[in-house]
Structures are given as structure tokens and as C-alpha cells.
Amino acid sequence: MYDQLFSRALEELRESGQYRTFTNINRIAGRYPTARTDHSSNKEVVVWCSNDYLGMSSHPDVMAAMTTAVTEYGVGSGGSRNISGNCELHRKLEAAIADWHGKEAALTFPTGYGSNDATLQCLLRFLPDVVVFSDEMNHASIINGIRATSAEKHVFRHNDVDHLRSLLAQYPLERPKLVVFESIYSMDGDVAPIAEISGVAKEHNALTFLDEVHAVGMYGPRGAGIAAKLGISDRIDIIQATLAKGIGVIGGYIAASSLLVDTVRSFAPGFIFTTAQVPGVVAASLASVEHLKHCNVERRALQEKTATLRAALDAAGVPIMPESTTHVLPVHVGDSTLCRRAAAHLLEHYGVYLQPINYPSVARGTERFRVNATPNHTDEQIEHLATALKETFTKFGLPLRVQVSA
């Protein structure tokens, strides 16, 4: 009976074109974004969809920090932070993150998904009679953290400040409220109106929770994200982000007031009962954060390469979705089966790795490739990608953007 249930569900997924498979991407240290799909083969591919936005996973200082920590502490942490997994490196990393965001304190988690899920569950269970307001495009980790509680919840239309205002206005000022949104939305590459959302939230006495996972490292004078770029980090109560994207390692964190951070540390089961980040990961994350706080080289190069990539795709007629204003360039396909077939063709014939983005990551009918350059991509690789996408779209009958003659 159970096997039949599993088989039926998986078959329905295959028939809908939404079944997911893994592709081996064996990254080559020091040569990112180059990788091999098979260790036994010399065939190399170029990765165009990694979250390692700045290439920090291969930065010499970051790798050296991890190697040194492994030699000094070993590879494991030994337990949860409360039992035997805490070390001086954790304190240093959290202090560096708090300083980065101009907050009193920070708390790190093994993953970015976990930092969202655990923090939201904790706060929504801790705050009496709380109401939560969540942007409709928020990440699955946010949605899961909210759904796991019995808190009253509302979903406001994406980036719609007026809709949020109308929902908040239904409740008295004294009732606890939490507004949860992201700075950069990774599927469309658009940016939230952070100042407006935080302003409306404060008018209605609501806490603000801002997910900056696709912004930290890449934006702001020290790479602390979009809120920092706008100079309004102080208007955000809780900043959540990851150590796995711009930072290039693994983990997540929140930064907020000392009192709020201590509350999450003391009451969140998702923090209390999980094994601590291993010392090598913490040391590498610390090295990456400190580098990005003091160096603009990677950020500047990312913006330059993004501009070059955007221009090359535009010249080739490859349809970048119009919402994108950031380093994330979503290319619309609109069909799950063709998205998978096109991805396989790009990998086999052009050595281009792009992962098809299908439901449930995006709505059915909006399937896409999520393309991003890094400081390590060359201009030649960018031109090769533009040509490969144009020819692949033509082969599979996918619409290119109509070229308008002068």
C-alpha cells in the first residue's frame, strides 16, 4: 500500500514535468565557475546558476582559514552550542555579523533555511496573539516557519505596500504584529520597497523581519545588503541572511537587538537542539565576511560582469524577465518539459550548466532559467552563453525577444 502511494505520487510528478533530477557538478577549486560532471572525464562545463555569487568559496583567504581551523580543531563541532559545540570562533563570527549590520547582536545557524524556519517559529509562538504578514513571493523557509505555527497570518501581494497597509490597519496598535519580506527575490531578481514597507510597519507598531540572503556581500558600502545600501538598516528589527551565497560557505544568521537575539537563542528549538556549525565552516565564514567588509573588488566586478551579461543576452534576443534589476537574470521559458530539455541540450552540446527552475519554485507556466554572472566569468564565456541560449531557444521553438530594427 505504501509503495503504491509513493509510486503514484512520483509518477504524477514525472507526468507533469516537475520531477527533479540531480546533475553532478564537481567544482574545481581555484577555477570557479568551471566544473566537471564526471571525475573520470576531462570534459569541463561552465556553471551559470550558482549562488556562489562572488566566488568566495575559492578565495585563498577563505580556504586557508578553513584549512587552519580543521588542523587546529578537527572537522566536527562535537554537539549543540549548549552542550559541547560552542567555540571562540562562533563568538567572533557573530560579533563580525552584528557589526556588519549595525546591530547589537547576531546568532548563527547551520543553514539559512534553518535560521528563517527556527526564528519565525520561535517568535510566532513566543509573541502573544501575534499576527504575521508575509509577502506572497517569500521563500519556502519563511513559509514553512510561519505555517508551522498557529499564529494568525496574512499574505500581502508582492511588494504591494498599499495592500500591506490595508491589512495592518485591521488590527489595533497594541496587538503584536510581524511583517516578513525579502530584499531581493531570487526568482525574479527584483527588489522590495524596503523603506516604504518598514515605514508602514512602524506606523502600525509591527516588527520587521527582512531576509537579505540574495543581497549580503553584493550590495551596500560594506556588502551588508540592500538595507545598508539605502542607509536604513536601523529601521529593520531583524535581518536574516545566509553564509552560503555571497559569503561562499554554508550557514545562516539573524542580526537584531541583544534582547531579541537572546530570546531566539534561549527559546528556539531549531537552534537549541541542532549540532553547531563546525569550526572550519565558521572560520571560513568569518574570513569571508571580514574580507567583504573591507574590500569592494568582488562587488564591483560582479556589477560589471552582470552589465556585460545583460547586454549580451539582450543583443541576442534572449528574454530576460523585465522585473529583474539586480545580478539575478531570470530567462523566461514557460514550459517545464522544454525547460528540462533545453537545459540538457545546453549541457551536452555547449558545456553550459543551467538548472531548469520549475514548479514549486515558480508558478506553472513561468518556468525559467535563473542566470547570473560572477566576477570569475570571462567575457568570452558570456558571449558563448548568449550564443548557446539563442541557438537553443531557436531549436526548441522558444520565443526570443523580438528585435526592433533602427
Side-chain angles (χ1 to χ4, degrees):
M1 177 181 75
Y2 299 110
D3 284 350
Q4 289 177 347
L5 289 171
F6 300 147
S7 296
R8 188 179 307 123
L10 290 170
E11 186 57 34
E12 288 175 357
L13 204 60
R14 291 187 181 94
E15 289 176 356
S16 70
Q18 309 301 337
Y19 184 75
R20 300 181 183 212
T21 59
F22 293 142
T23 301
N24 289 332
I25 297 296
N26 302 299
R27 291 151 60 91
I28 304 171
R31 293 186 56 203
Y32 174 77
T34 307
R36 295 189 179 93
T37 56
D38 188 339
H39 270 305
S40 63
S41 171
N42 290 324
K43 183 179 179 180
E44 296 180 351
V45 300
V46 178
V47 179
W48 282 101
C49 55
S50 171
N51 287 333
D52 187 9
Y53 293 131
L54 298 172
M56 292 302 294
S57 66
S58 292
H59 192 285
D61 293 348
V62 176
M63 292 195 295
M66 178 175 281
T67 302
T68 299
V70 168
T71 302
E72 185 171 355
Y73 298 104
V75 298
S77 63
S80 69
R81 295 276 293 275
N82 287 306
I83 296 178
S84 60
N86 196 62
C87 74
E88 181 69 8
L89 287 170
H90 290 101
R91 185 195 66 78
K92 289 181 178 179
L93 176 58
E94 288 167 349
I97 291 170
D99 169 74
W100 207 20
H101 292 289
K103 299 297 184 185
E104 292 178 348
L107 188 68
T108 57
F109 297 76
T111 68
Y113 189 107
S115 58
N116 263 337
D117 186 57
T119 302
L120 287 168
Q121 286 196 46
C122 175
L123 292 176
L124 295 178
R125 288 172 177 158
F126 185 87
L127 296 169
D129 200 26
V130 65
V131 188
V132 60
F133 305 83
S134 177
D135 188 288
E136 67 177 336
M137 297 295 287
N138 276 341
H139 189 263
S141 57
I142 293 174
I143 295 169
N144 192 69
I146 294 172
R147 284 180 175 172
T149 75
S150 60
E152 185 176 350
K153 54 189 74 72
H154 291 278
V155 176
F156 62 93
R157 291 188 292 270
H158 180 50
N159 285 344
D160 191 330
V161 180
D162 290 335
H163 188 212
L164 173 61
R165 180 184 288 108
S166 69
L167 294 171
L168 286 164
Q170 298 175 23
Y171 297 90
L173 285 177
E174 62 271 17
R175 185 166 177 183
K177 295 174 281 293
L178 179 66
V179 176
V180 187
F181 62 112
E182 302 181 33
S183 59
I184 293 177
Y185 289 86
S186 65
M187 290 299 111
D188 287 352
D190 58 333
V191 179
I194 300 174
E196 292 83 354
I197 290 176
S198 61
V200 169
K202 292 311 171 190
E203 288 173 15
H204 293 85
N205 195 31
L207 290 173
T208 47
F209 183 110
L210 177 64
D211 178 317
E212 289 254 41
V213 297
H214 291 279
V216 289
M218 285 76 71
Y219 299 91
R222 297 196 302 163
I226 299 293
K229 177 183 178 180
L230 298 173
I232 57 174
S233 296
D234 58 328
R235 300 190 203 175
I236 305 299
D237 296 297
I238 307 150
I239 292 176
Q240 181 273 345
T242 182
L243 300 166
K245 294 180 171 62
I247 311 306
V249 195
I250 182 68
Y253 65 83
I254 59 169
S257 69
S258 296
L259 197 58
L260 191 149
V261 167
D262 200 21
T263 299
V264 174
R265 184 190 68 84
S266 300
F267 289 99
F271 173 81
I272 296 170
F273 297 106
T274 193
T275 300
Q277 293 167 287
V278 300
V281 163
V282 181
S285 299
L286 176 60
S288 183
V289 168
E290 289 295 348
H291 173 85
L292 292 171
K293 282 163 67 174
H294 299 98
C295 180
N296 284 318
V297 170
E298 289 81 10
R299 278 189 289 283
R300 191 180 305 113
L302 174 65
Q303 300 307 321
E304 292 171 354
K305 293 296 183 180
T306 298
T308 301
L309 174 60
R310 189 180 288 274
L313 295 181
D314 187 63
V318 175
I320 302 171
M321 295 175 67
E323 295 85 357
S324 172
T325 59
T326 63
H327 62 286
V328 178
L329 307 183
V331 171
H332 183 263
V333 176
D335 181 284
S336 60
T337 300
L338 289 180
C339 202
R340 288 187 292 104
R341 290 177 62 195
H345 181 79
L346 285 164
L347 186 64
E348 180 179 355
H349 294 279
Y350 294 98
V352 165
Y353 177 65
L354 278 171
Q355 178 65 27
I357 306 296
N358 293 340
Y359 178 85
S361 296
V362 295
R364 290 183 176 91
T366 69
E367 292 83 1
R368 69 199 65 179
F369 293 126
R370 181 178 163 277
V371 187
N372 54 276
T374 72
N376 305 78
H377 284 94
T378 66
D379 290 348
E380 290 75 19
Q381 288 171 335
I382 289 174
E383 288 299 327
H384 176 71
L385 172 67
T387 299
L389 279 170
K390 181 177 181 178
E391 293 180 0
T392 299
F393 268 55
T394 301
K395 174 181 175 61
F396 289 99
L398 295 169
L400 292 166
R401 181 182 52 76
V402 176
Q403 300 286 342
V404 179
S405 58

